[in-house]
Amino acid sequence: MKKFEDFNVLELDTIREIGSIGTGNAATALSGVLGCEVRITMPEVRIMGYNEAIDWIGGPEIITAGVLVRLDGELKGIMLSVQQLDFINLVLSRTVGQVVEDYSQLTDLDRSALVEVGNIMISTFINALSGLADLTITLTVPAFAVDMQGAILAVPMAEYGGQSDYIMTIGADFICNQKAVPCHLLLSPDIGSLNFLLKKLGVLDG
Amino acid sequence: MADKLVVGIADMKMASREGMLITYALGSCIGICLYDPVLRLAALVHVMLPLNMETGRKSPLKYADSGIRETLKQMEARGAKRSRITAKIAGGARMFDVPGNGSLGNIGQRNIESVHMTLKREGIKLLKEDVGGSVARTLLFDAATGQACVRSYGKPELIF
């Protein structure tokens, strides 16, 4: 079984393509919810050390909202939608018709809207992946938390920490009305499942 | 005040007599402050998982059991006496309430249990703790006084 740091260029390109298809589908879904045009940036596959990953997402102590879904079945992993305040306000203004100045002002209805938007994006991503590779993937009910993003990102790290010193994230950022919105959609796969997926797609070397 | 020494994930730093150690955003991870009051030697280790079952054991600081042992070893190498070393811990939260039987929810709880057990086994007295719940914590540890401070979102600072 290959580890994250052992993948070659072709394998990484395939993973990036999966990210592209998944994120593209998620963007279409998001566009439907928000009623505006949503584009995506070039999808990235990153294999990072723990502390590098925390720096990449913008520092450990910044407060963000996170929607987390656990994947099971033929592909195991964790998928996260990390939503910063500007994104939250974009969603809230288009769905419940109000904005908040701070995370502490989020009402139950607001939280519910954010969970639903996160869940829709994650489910569309996984649905596309499942169709592409002909995999049966089950999703848990989404969980929601508002807290330091370092601790939110540490959830997939801890989950696969026994397998690897690295975390793999697959995802892209969204652009809405020509403005980048701070929302990361991240898939953190389990190493065994990723090997299985690449093998199924016929690109796993060795 | 001098710059803070930042302890990353699966990392450990020491300071003696003065200096502030800090580790950010402990979720299910645990920050363990170990202190020898005579030497005023402080060590802060940030562990992520309960038990080291890795072959080769390349990163002992990632796990509670091997992380605490490794830290004690390095403290003793600097002259600390095990009988004087005390501990304060923070972390072990459950960040997401995910239904199902995955290990997602209880890594924090297992970390707490493993830290307790390892400290007991190594004969280190646990003075204070701020563990569990569902909030992330940033932990500061002052080498001059041995005082620890926990900062979390939407709550007042806790000094212990």
Side-chain angles (χ1 to χ4, degrees), chain A residues 14 17-18 21 127-135 197 201:
Chain A
T14 309
E17 191 53 33
I18 290 165
I21 293 166
N127 205 18
L129 172 56
S130 147
L132 175 79
D134 189 25
L135 294 174
L197 171 66
L201 293 170

Side-chain angles (χ1 to χ4, degrees), chain B residues 1 3 5-6 16 23 26 56 72 89 93 145 160:
Chain B
M1 202 180 72
D3 275 343
L5 265 175
V6 179
S16 71
T23 194
L26 295 157
L72 287 171
I89 65 171
T145 59
F160 64 93

Side-chain angles (χ1 to χ4, degrees), chain A residues 50-51 54 60-61 63 66 68 70 78 102-104 143 145-148 150-152 155 157-159 161-162 164-165, chain B residues 8-9 24-28 48-49 54 59 62-63 95-99 102-104 107 134-138 151-153:
Chain A
Y50 302 133
N51 297 304
I54 305 271
E61 271 195 312
I63 305 297
L68 180 142
R70 203 185 153 79
I78 286 175
D102 187 78
Y103 293 95
S104 60
V146 171
D147 217 315
M148 298 180 194
I152 289 176
V155 174
M157 290 178 191
E159 182 75 6
S164 174
D165 284 340
Chain B
I9 299 171
Y24 293 104
L26 295 157
S28 59
M48 194 165 77
L49 292 167
E54 247 177 48
S59 36
K62 194 156 81 176
Y63 303 89
M95 297 304 297
F96 287 93
D97 191 9
V98 181
S103 51
L104 262 184
I107 285 180
S134 59
V135 291
R137 298 167 170 95
T138 286
R151 202 154 72 192
S152 21
Y153 170 63

Side-chain angles (χ1 to χ4, degrees), chain B residues 76-135:
Chain B
E76 282 173 333
R78 290 177 64 164
K81 289 273 176 296
R82 188 161 298 216
S83 56
R84 298 195 299 246
I85 299 176
T86 54
K88 293 175 181 177
I89 65 171
R94 179 189 171 113
M95 297 304 297
F96 287 93
D97 191 9
V98 181
N101 54 3
S103 51
L104 262 184
N106 56 30
I107 285 180
Q109 189 56 41
R110 276 165 38 213
N111 279 337
I112 297 169
E113 284 161 18
S114 176
V115 167
H116 282 168
M117 207 192 300
T118 310
L119 288 174
K120 202 169 170 189
R121 209 171 275 168
E122 299 297 321
I124 305 298
K125 193 175 170 206
L126 178 61
L127 293 182
K128 295 274 173 57
E129 62 177 10
D130 178 32
V131 293
S134 59
V135 291

